[in-house]
Amino acid sequence: MQIRELAIPGAWEVTPRLLGDDRGMFCESFKASEFEKATGRPFELHQVNTSVSAAGVLRGIHYTEDPPGQAKYVTCVRGAFLDVVVDLRPGSPTYGRWDSVLLDDVHRRSVFLSEGLGHAILSLEDGSTVTYLCSLEYSPEFDRDMDAFDPRLGIEWPTEGRDGSRLTYIRSAKDELAPPFS
C-alpha cells in the first residue's frame, strides 16, 4: 500500500497493491496500521455510505462544520470518479486551494480527507459507485455545501467521461443553490 499526502495537508491518496490471478483480483483497501503510520492519526469509523451515479453527476462540494468536522475515506468500487478535495480551514496555508485524484475500478485508489476539508466527486461513467467511510454519523445541523463551479476556486472539472464522451453535469437542486466560496 502506498500513501502520499496531496497538495492539501490533511488529505491523502491511498494506492493499494493489487494481487491478481486466474480467479480475479484482491487488494487491501484500508489497513489501520499502514494508515496510522502514514498519516499520524487513527481513523474512527462511525458510518458507511454508498452512492451510485450516472455519468456527469457532480456531488458537492460538501463539508461538515468544524468542529465537530467529519473525516472521510472514499473508495470507488465500480466505474470512475474525479475526487476533489478543497481546503476550507481558515488560517491554513492552502486555504481555498484544491487537489484531485482519479478514483476508479482499475487502480483502486482511495482518498482520505481530514476534518475541515470540502469534498466533491464527479462521475465519469454510468453506474459509478463510491463508498465513504465516515468518522461522524450524518448530522444535518452541521452539513454545509459550496458551489463547485465558483470561479474563485477555479476547479478544473473534466468535460469528457472515461469513454471519451461529452459529460453533461447533473447536480442536485441543493448543490445548484449552494453558496460561493466567498
Side-chain angles (χ1 to χ4, degrees), residues 1 3 32 38 67 93 96 139 149 165 173:
M1 178 175 290
I3 302 175
S139 305
F149 293 111
S165 63

mmCIF file with all atom_site columns, all heavy atoms in Angstrom, residues 1 3 32 38 67 93 96 139 149 165 173:
data_model
loop_
_atom_site.group_PDB
_atom_site.id
_atom_site.type_symbol
_atom_site.label_atom_id
_atom_site.label_alt_id
_atom_site.label_comp_id
_atom_site.label_asym_id
_atom_site.label_entity_id
_atom_site.label_seq_id
_atom_site.pdbx_PDB_ins_code
_atom_site.Cartn_x
_atom_site.Cartn_y
_atom_site.Cartn_z
_atom_site.occupancy
_atom_site.B_iso_or_equiv
_atom_site.pdbx_formal_charge
_atom_site.auth_seq_id
_atom_site.auth_comp_id
_atom_site.auth_asym_id
_atom_site.auth_atom_id
_atom_site.pdbx_PDB_model_num
ATOM 1  N N   . MET A 1 1   ? 0.851   -1.171 0.000   1.00 0.00 ? 1   MET A N   1
ATOM 2  C CA  . MET A 1 1   ? 0.000   0.000  0.000   1.00 0.00 ? 1   MET A CA  1
ATOM 3  C C   . MET A 1 1   ? 0.897   1.235  0.000   1.00 0.00 ? 1   MET A C   1
ATOM 4  O O   . MET A 1 1   ? 1.819   1.331  0.791   1.00 0.00 ? 1   MET A O   1
ATOM 5  C CB  . MET A 1 1   ? -0.894  -0.059 1.248   1.00 0.00 ? 1   MET A CB  1
ATOM 6  C CG  . MET A 1 1   ? -1.802  1.107  1.423   1.00 0.00 ? 1   MET A CG  1
ATOM 7  S SD  . MET A 1 1   ? -2.953  0.916  2.834   1.00 0.00 ? 1   MET A SD  1
ATOM 8  C CE  . MET A 1 1   ? -4.020  -0.360 2.241   1.00 0.00 ? 1   MET A CE  1
ATOM 9  N N   . ILE A 1 3   ? 0.881   5.398  0.344   1.00 0.00 ? 3   ILE A N   1
ATOM 10 C CA  . ILE A 1 3   ? 0.066   6.507  0.829   1.00 0.00 ? 3   ILE A CA  1
ATOM 11 C C   . ILE A 1 3   ? 0.880   7.781  0.648   1.00 0.00 ? 3   ILE A C   1
ATOM 12 O O   . ILE A 1 3   ? 2.006   7.871  1.125   1.00 0.00 ? 3   ILE A O   1
ATOM 13 C CB  . ILE A 1 3   ? -0.322  6.307  2.307   1.00 0.00 ? 3   ILE A CB  1
ATOM 14 C CG1 . ILE A 1 3   ? -1.078  4.981  2.477   1.00 0.00 ? 3   ILE A CG1 1
ATOM 15 C CG2 . ILE A 1 3   ? -1.161  7.480  2.792   1.00 0.00 ? 3   ILE A CG2 1
ATOM 16 C CD1 . ILE A 1 3   ? -1.414  4.622  3.904   1.00 0.00 ? 3   ILE A CD1 1
ATOM 17 N N   . ALA A 1 32  ? -5.519  -0.261 8.985   1.00 0.00 ? 32  ALA A N   1
ATOM 18 C CA  . ALA A 1 32  ? -5.343  0.735  10.036  1.00 0.00 ? 32  ALA A CA  1
ATOM 19 C C   . ALA A 1 32  ? -3.880  0.995  10.371  1.00 0.00 ? 32  ALA A C   1
ATOM 20 O O   . ALA A 1 32  ? -3.472  2.156  10.516  1.00 0.00 ? 32  ALA A O   1
ATOM 21 C CB  . ALA A 1 32  ? -6.116  0.321  11.292  1.00 0.00 ? 32  ALA A CB  1
ATOM 22 N N   . ALA A 1 38  ? 1.317   6.303  8.138   1.00 0.00 ? 38  ALA A N   1
ATOM 23 C CA  . ALA A 1 38  ? 1.496   7.330  7.105   1.00 0.00 ? 38  ALA A CA  1
ATOM 24 C C   . ALA A 1 38  ? 0.908   8.684  7.499   1.00 0.00 ? 38  ALA A C   1
ATOM 25 O O   . ALA A 1 38  ? 1.486   9.719  7.184   1.00 0.00 ? 38  ALA A O   1
ATOM 26 C CB  . ALA A 1 38  ? 0.877   6.864  5.794   1.00 0.00 ? 38  ALA A CB  1
ATOM 27 N N   . PRO A 1 67  ? -15.597 22.654 14.454  1.00 0.00 ? 67  PRO A N   1
ATOM 28 C CA  . PRO A 1 67  ? -15.979 21.336 14.935  1.00 0.00 ? 67  PRO A CA  1
ATOM 29 C C   . PRO A 1 67  ? -17.466 21.064 14.742  1.00 0.00 ? 67  PRO A C   1
ATOM 30 O O   . PRO A 1 67  ? -18.210 22.011 14.586  1.00 0.00 ? 67  PRO A O   1
ATOM 31 C CB  . PRO A 1 67  ? -15.594 21.383 16.404  1.00 0.00 ? 67  PRO A CB  1
ATOM 32 C CG  . PRO A 1 67  ? -15.636 22.828 16.793  1.00 0.00 ? 67  PRO A CG  1
ATOM 33 C CD  . PRO A 1 67  ? -15.355 23.605 15.540  1.00 0.00 ? 67  PRO A CD  1
ATOM 34 N N   . PRO A 1 93  ? -2.410  27.392 5.320   1.00 0.00 ? 93  PRO A N   1
ATOM 35 C CA  . PRO A 1 93  ? -1.626  27.958 4.216   1.00 0.00 ? 93  PRO A CA  1
ATOM 36 C C   . PRO A 1 93  ? -2.180  27.588 2.836   1.00 0.00 ? 93  PRO A C   1
ATOM 37 O O   . PRO A 1 93  ? -1.856  28.253 1.857   1.00 0.00 ? 93  PRO A O   1
ATOM 38 C CB  . PRO A 1 93  ? -0.223  27.378 4.420   1.00 0.00 ? 93  PRO A CB  1
ATOM 39 C CG  . PRO A 1 93  ? -0.352  26.301 5.421   1.00 0.00 ? 93  PRO A CG  1
ATOM 40 C CD  . PRO A 1 93  ? -1.638  26.493 6.166   1.00 0.00 ? 93  PRO A CD  1
ATOM 41 N N   . GLY A 1 96  ? -8.569  27.567 0.483   1.00 0.00 ? 96  GLY A N   1
ATOM 42 C CA  . GLY A 1 96  ? -9.131  27.912 -0.825  1.00 0.00 ? 96  GLY A CA  1
ATOM 43 C C   . GLY A 1 96  ? -8.532  27.153 -1.991  1.00 0.00 ? 96  GLY A C   1
ATOM 44 O O   . GLY A 1 96  ? -8.993  27.284 -3.119  1.00 0.00 ? 96  GLY A O   1
ATOM 45 N N   . SER A 1 139 ? -25.020 14.341 10.348  1.00 0.00 ? 139 SER A N   1
ATOM 46 C CA  . SER A 1 139 ? -25.593 15.311 11.277  1.00 0.00 ? 139 SER A CA  1
ATOM 47 C C   . SER A 1 139 ? -26.032 16.526 10.480  1.00 0.00 ? 139 SER A C   1
ATOM 48 O O   . SER A 1 139 ? -25.223 17.418 10.209  1.00 0.00 ? 139 SER A O   1
ATOM 49 C CB  . SER A 1 139 ? -24.548 15.718 12.325  1.00 0.00 ? 139 SER A CB  1
ATOM 50 O OG  . SER A 1 139 ? -24.030 14.593 12.987  1.00 0.00 ? 139 SER A OG  1
ATOM 51 N N   . PHE A 1 149 ? -18.736 25.226 -8.897  1.00 0.00 ? 149 PHE A N   1
ATOM 52 C CA  . PHE A 1 149 ? -18.312 25.994 -10.068 1.00 0.00 ? 149 PHE A CA  1
ATOM 53 C C   . PHE A 1 149 ? -17.898 27.423 -9.714  1.00 0.00 ? 149 PHE A C   1
ATOM 54 O O   . PHE A 1 149 ? -17.751 28.260 -10.602 1.00 0.00 ? 149 PHE A O   1
ATOM 55 C CB  . PHE A 1 149 ? -19.416 26.012 -11.124 1.00 0.00 ? 149 PHE A CB  1
ATOM 56 C CG  . PHE A 1 149 ? -19.669 24.662 -11.735 1.00 0.00 ? 149 PHE A CG  1
ATOM 57 C CD1 . PHE A 1 149 ? -20.851 23.987 -11.487 1.00 0.00 ? 149 PHE A CD1 1
ATOM 58 C CD2 . PHE A 1 149 ? -18.721 24.053 -12.542 1.00 0.00 ? 149 PHE A CD2 1
ATOM 59 C CE1 . PHE A 1 149 ? -21.087 22.739 -12.043 1.00 0.00 ? 149 PHE A CE1 1
ATOM 60 C CE2 . PHE A 1 149 ? -18.944 22.810 -13.100 1.00 0.00 ? 149 PHE A CE2 1
ATOM 61 C CZ  . PHE A 1 149 ? -20.130 22.148 -12.849 1.00 0.00 ? 149 PHE A CZ  1
ATOM 62 N N   . SER A 1 165 ? -16.753 10.310 -24.107 1.00 0.00 ? 165 SER A N   1
ATOM 63 C CA  . SER A 1 165 ? -17.997 11.007 -24.440 1.00 0.00 ? 165 SER A CA  1
ATOM 64 C C   . SER A 1 165 ? -18.112 12.307 -23.649 1.00 0.00 ? 165 SER A C   1
ATOM 65 O O   . SER A 1 165 ? -17.529 12.461 -22.574 1.00 0.00 ? 165 SER A O   1
ATOM 66 C CB  . SER A 1 165 ? -19.202 10.112 -24.145 1.00 0.00 ? 165 SER A CB  1
ATOM 67 O OG  . SER A 1 165 ? -19.259 9.824  -22.762 1.00 0.00 ? 165 SER A OG  1
ATOM 68 N N   . ALA A 1 173 ? -30.667 19.898 -6.681  1.00 0.00 ? 173 ALA A N   1
ATOM 69 C CA  . ALA A 1 173 ? -31.135 21.275 -6.502  1.00 0.00 ? 173 ALA A CA  1
ATOM 70 C C   . ALA A 1 173 ? -30.362 21.952 -5.373  1.00 0.00 ? 173 ALA A C   1
ATOM 71 O O   . ALA A 1 173 ? -29.996 23.130 -5.467  1.00 0.00 ? 173 ALA A O   1
ATOM 72 C CB  . ALA A 1 173 ? -32.631 21.279 -6.206  1.00 0.00 ? 173 ALA A CB  1
#
